[in-house]
Amino acid sequence: RADETTTVLSYDVFEQIHQWIIKLPLQERLKDHRILTERAEYLPYATALISYILELTGPLNFEHCSFNLKEGLATRYAMELGWCPQ
């Protein structure tokens, strides 16, 4: 159950975000205003770890809090790329 601080993301949507993030070169991640400079280097590792955990646990959907990663990157990317409703 999601409230105003969370967005329900399907595993498939998160996987699309993960694939997009891991293909972005570091220089592109550093230029992206939505990614904090100090996180740019590690973001692909973070999404890979989350993807792996979701693969092991097998949920169809999960709640993404708008406060995780401080700025709620997964939700923001999903909305901007049209992968989930705004």
Side-chain angles (χ1 to χ4, degrees), residues 9-81:
L9 294 176
S10 70
Y11 172 80
D12 293 334
V13 167
F14 181 82
E15 194 56 32
Q16 287 177 317
I17 294 168
H18 167 61
Q19 292 301 317
W20 179 66
I21 291 288
I22 64 172
K23 291 175 185 169
L24 274 180
L26 176 57
Q27 291 305 316
E28 292 299 313
R29 293 192 309 271
L30 288 168
K31 289 182 204 173
D32 194 316
H33 69 279
R34 298 165 293 193
I35 301 173
L36 294 174
T37 303
E38 59 269 18
R39 294 196 180 151
E41 182 178 357
Y42 302 104
L43 192 56
Y45 302 109
T47 62
L49 180 59
I50 294 168
S51 180
Y52 177 69
I53 291 168
L54 290 173
E55 187 177 311
L56 288 177
T57 59
L60 298 175
N61 297 302
F62 67 100
E63 288 186 23
H64 173 268
C65 177
S66 61
F67 299 110
N68 70 345
L69 288 180
K70 193 173 181 182
E71 59 280 319
L73 284 175
T75 298
R76 187 178 308 166
Y77 285 144
M79 288 179 182
E80 288 180 8
L81 296 170

